[in-house]
Amino acid sequence: MNEHNQAGFRVLPMPAPIPADILDAYANIVTSHISDSMQRICGVQGLRPYHAGKRLVGRAITVKVRPGDNMMIHKAMDMAAPGDVIVVDASGDVTQALIGELMQIHAEVRGIAGFVIDGAVRDIGAFRAADFPCYARGNTHRGPFKEGPGEVNVPVSIGGLVINAGDLIVGDEDGVVAVPPDQWTYVLGKAREQAAREEQRKTAIRAGKDKRDWIDERLRKLGVIA
């Protein structure tokens, strides 16, 4: 085994690109509908947006780092193609920021779509002002080290969800979800169906015609009411 490519300190090949029609199709699908279409257990938990509100859609380039060290994030950014999302597993540590304004500018110039960080960030005013998509677990003024170890394009765990390099990342005001390649078409169809159902419900609610008898029916089955 190459001593410079061992588990814990390695860079794996880039994943296959996501077809443009898939990216375009997901551009207006909200994360709540994607989550509903994945049995409501497949979303990232505990991260919040640090930008003004721009949507995030792109291919995951995954990074696993030692808490407080961003060496391999820099490497991943240099490898990333325009439209990619840098997804970082920092074990949820928020004692040292992993990215800040300088990396945000560098990412924006390279055409990177955004960051998903299970860790901390800093210079959050810069992210809000640029509206550059950034989701993180927390923030701190304390900066990172650049020594490693770390891994690029390995499976990572982000807020309770395993994300692989090449997964489709979607983020909006409600949070972040990841869709594996073998689920893109299925989830897209289900999410569109969910959106259509909710539009029908909204129309019925506004017209005062929403059916509510399901509540008592369910309560009767549970023995709560007679």
Side-chain angles (χ1 to χ4, degrees):
M1 179 183 292
N2 185 337
E3 64 178 347
H4 300 297
N5 192 31
Q6 297 183 22
F9 211 167
R10 57 183 174 166
V11 176
L12 298 187
M14 292 290 280
I18 296 177
D21 61 325
I22 293 294
L23 294 172
D24 291 343
Y26 275 91
N28 296 310
I29 305 293
V30 297
T31 57
S32 57
H33 292 163
I34 297 172
S35 177
D36 287 350
S37 302
M38 299 178 75
Q39 305 302 320
R40 301 176 178 175
I41 62 170
C42 294
V44 172
Q45 299 295 313
L47 306 191
R48 61 190 180 95
Y50 278 87
H51 56 290
K54 184 178 180 181
R55 284 178 56 83
L56 176 63
V57 180
R59 177 181 67 165
I61 303 303
T62 58
V63 190
K64 186 173 180 61
V65 301
R66 176 172 64 89
D69 191 289
N70 73 359
M71 179 67 195
M72 298 305 265
I73 302 176
H74 281 281
K75 178 58 179 174
M77 289 172 60
D78 284 351
M79 295 170 61
D84 284 343
V85 180
I86 305 298
V87 179
V88 181
D89 177 358
S91 302
D93 180 80
V94 294
T95 59
Q96 315 251 179
L98 294 174
I99 62 171
E101 183 177 15
L102 294 178
M103 293 180 75
Q104 178 264 312
I105 294 172
H106 182 67
E108 193 167 29
V109 168
R110 288 188 57 83
I112 291 170
F115 292 106
V116 176
I117 311 286
D118 198 352
V121 299
R122 70 176 182 178
D123 303 329
I124 59 178
F127 281 97
R128 292 197 182 106
D131 199 18
F132 186 81
C134 178
Y135 296 82
R137 187 164 296 277
N139 60 277
T140 178
H141 53 80
R142 296 173 59 182
F145 300 101
K146 295 174 174 59
E147 300 172 357
E151 299 179 292
V152 178
N153 287 330
V154 298
V156 295
S157 176
I158 308 293
L161 178 66
V162 174
I163 298 177
N164 290 284
D167 285 355
L168 173 65
I169 303 296
V170 181
D172 60 18
E173 296 91 339
D174 286 331
V176 176
V177 293
V179 186
D182 64 349
Q183 298 290 308
W184 291 338
T185 301
Y186 172 81
V187 171
L188 178 62
K190 289 295 183 181
R192 285 172 169 168
E193 290 174 4
Q194 180 69 13
R197 283 193 296 270
E198 290 195 9
E199 284 301 317
Q200 292 174 349
R201 286 288 309 281
K202 286 187 282 189
T203 298
I205 291 170
R206 292 187 179 109
K209 296 180 179 180
D210 187 44
K211 296 180 180 179
R212 308 291 288 170
D213 51 356
W214 65 269
I215 300 172
D216 284 350
E217 289 178 5
R218 188 163 300 177
L219 291 176
R220 288 190 188 96
K221 289 181 179 179
L222 293 172
V224 178
I225 62 175

